Amino acid sequence: MTKMTRRAALLAGVAFTLSACSSKFISYDGPQVTRVEVQKANRRMYLMHHDQVLEAFEIQLGFTAEGHKQFEGDGRTPEGRYTIDRRNPNSSFYLSIGIDYPNAADLEFASSRGLKPGGDIFIHGWGDKRRGRGEDWTAGCIAVSNREMKKIYAMVEDGTPIDIFP
């Protein structure tokens, strides 16, 4: 190999290594996350393996965080038991995993008042905007940093229950 060819091969190897390191997808082979617990009042989310906390995160919520989500546009994050039901690897907010809001009770409540319950509630990253902690800004979702979302996306499987407490 010529000196130039070796240099090109070395640079290609470095570029591949850097691109692999910057991937937003990682693997996880630890204990299964059996439940996600969100405590809105203290802005914390816990990934649980039965009664053991595997990971804890500071979170940001809907812009009107207090109270249960009832209607489209109210800026609230739902409360109650839901299920992680989908994932979006191409989210505008880095990565996201979906929460199956609205459930039958949510639909019935909103319908009884002639309103839509809203939807598209996710746990997601911050996207490409720089954000600080302590400010609720979502339309009802649960937000964490992109780095934290990478870990959550790898650890939490579809079908995992999520309990969201006031």
Side-chain angles (χ1 to χ4, degrees), residues 11-160:
L11 289 174
V14 169
F16 174 77
T17 302
L18 290 175
S19 69
C21 290
S22 66
S23 172
K24 63 182 177 179
F25 302 105
I26 60 171
S27 54
Y28 172 73
D29 62 358
Q32 178 186 18
V33 174
T34 56
R35 183 172 62 90
V36 176
E37 181 176 311
V38 174
Q39 295 177 3
K40 289 172 55 175
N42 66 3
R43 305 300 191 274
R44 300 288 288 174
M45 179 171 67
Y46 303 93
L47 304 187
M48 308 292 294
H49 177 72
H50 303 294
D51 291 332
Q52 176 189 4
V53 175
L54 299 174
E55 294 284 342
F57 304 95
E58 289 182 41
I59 59 173
Q60 295 163 316
L61 301 169
F63 60 84
T64 308
E66 194 171 317
H68 174 58
K69 181 163 196 61
Q70 297 178 325
F71 312 114
E72 184 174 75
D74 66 8
R76 292 186 174 133
T77 301
E79 296 172 358
R81 174 158 272 202
Y82 295 93
T83 302
I84 301 300
D85 68 345
R86 63 199 182 281
R87 49 194 60 243
N88 183 356
N90 301 311
S91 172
S92 297
F93 297 98
Y94 191 64
L95 292 169
S96 61
I97 56 175
I99 299 170
D100 70 345
Y101 174 89
N103 62 25
D106 298 320
L107 287 166
E108 184 179 324
F109 180 83
S111 168
S112 73
R113 282 149 180 82
L115 297 167
K116 296 178 184 177
D120 284 337
I121 301 298
F122 287 86
I123 300 170
H124 61 66
W126 293 346
D128 58 6
K129 298 224 179 188
R130 195 163 172 86
R131 301 187 192 276
R133 293 287 185 192
E135 184 179 330
D136 293 323
W137 58 272
T138 76
C141 295
I142 299 162
V144 296
S145 74
N146 292 347
R147 177 179 287 159
E148 293 165 330
M149 192 60 220
K150 182 188 291 196
K151 189 181 285 189
I152 294 163
Y153 195 89
M155 292 177 72
V156 179
E157 299 174 0
D158 289 359
T160 303

